[in-house]
Amino acid sequence: MRIRKTRAGRNPGCQARTGQDAVQAMTALYHAHYQSMVRLAVLLISDQAAAEDIVQDCFAATFRAWATLSGADAALSYLRRSVVRRSRSAPPVPPGRSPQAVSPLPGTAVVSALRALPARQREILVLRYFADLPEAEIASVTGIRTAAVRSYAARAMSSLRAGLPQAE
């Protein structure tokens, strides 16, 4: 008897058990990372409601892709990459609303200066300092080389220093 394999290489007869495992794992992933993913999206797009929508869509996409992912770490990487990529295509904050009114965050001078950066530089700094990711993972999430991550980070930090008032 020949057993047909699914895309993830599992026996199709085990789908019910695997499906329940996926639900439990996604529930744990959601509870552990929902807030941090929303914070990441808010820092990238400056709109709380749109950030929440993006994160919900990304969790749904991660659940649909669960069978192709190798585990919880791969799912978290997939989720983070999805949030960053979907944030790139989010519409800008409407002209009548200021970013601070949309999502008040501590360190508003830094956040305001961060929002003034070009999108790619902002992504790199948010992933590096707010999400605390190493350069290799930032490269994976953004789809660029590690050397480019360092270059964008250096330019972004230089721009950020120039845009912030000097402490006396």
Side-chain angles (χ1 to χ4, degrees):
M1 177 175 149
R2 185 172 180 187
I3 297 175
R4 193 182 83 203
K5 301 261 184 174
T6 62
R7 218 169 42 179
R10 295 187 178 105
N11 181 338
C14 297
Q15 288 296 333
R17 186 176 56 84
T18 304
Q20 187 60 31
D21 291 345
V23 169
Q24 290 173 352
M26 280 302 300
T27 301
L29 187 71
Y30 182 86
H31 289 296
H33 298 286
Y34 176 77
Q35 290 298 324
S36 65
M37 291 296 127
V38 170
R39 228 178 351 261
L40 172 64
V42 165
L43 287 167
L44 295 174
I45 64 169
S46 306
D47 186 349
Q48 181 78 30
E52 289 174 357
D53 289 343
I54 287 170
V55 171
Q56 288 293 337
D57 291 345
C58 292
F59 269 103
T62 303
F63 182 73
R64 286 190 302 272
W66 187 264
T68 64
L69 302 171
S70 61
D73 289 340
L76 179 58
S77 293
Y78 182 91
L79 176 65
R80 191 177 288 122
R81 191 170 39 253
S82 297
V83 168
V84 169
R85 290 183 179 164
R86 288 182 192 221
S87 295
R88 288 177 187 159
S89 61
V93 176
R97 294 172 20 192
S98 71
Q100 286 79 14
V102 173
S103 58
L105 293 171
T108 54
V110 173
V111 172
S112 295
L114 186 65
R115 289 185 176 138
L117 293 175
R120 185 59 65 123
Q121 290 180 10
R122 185 173 55 248
E123 281 178 11
I124 300 300
L125 290 187
V126 167
L127 291 169
R128 188 177 209 176
Y129 295 106
F130 289 90
D132 200 27
L133 297 181
E135 289 174 349
E137 197 166 342
I138 294 170
S140 172
V141 167
T142 57
I144 61 177
R145 295 182 182 268
T146 306
V149 169
R150 285 191 290 269
S151 176
Y152 278 117
R155 279 185 266 159
M157 288 303 290
S158 177
S159 297
L160 214 60
R161 281 187 205 103
L164 289 174
Q166 297 297 320
E168 297 184 22

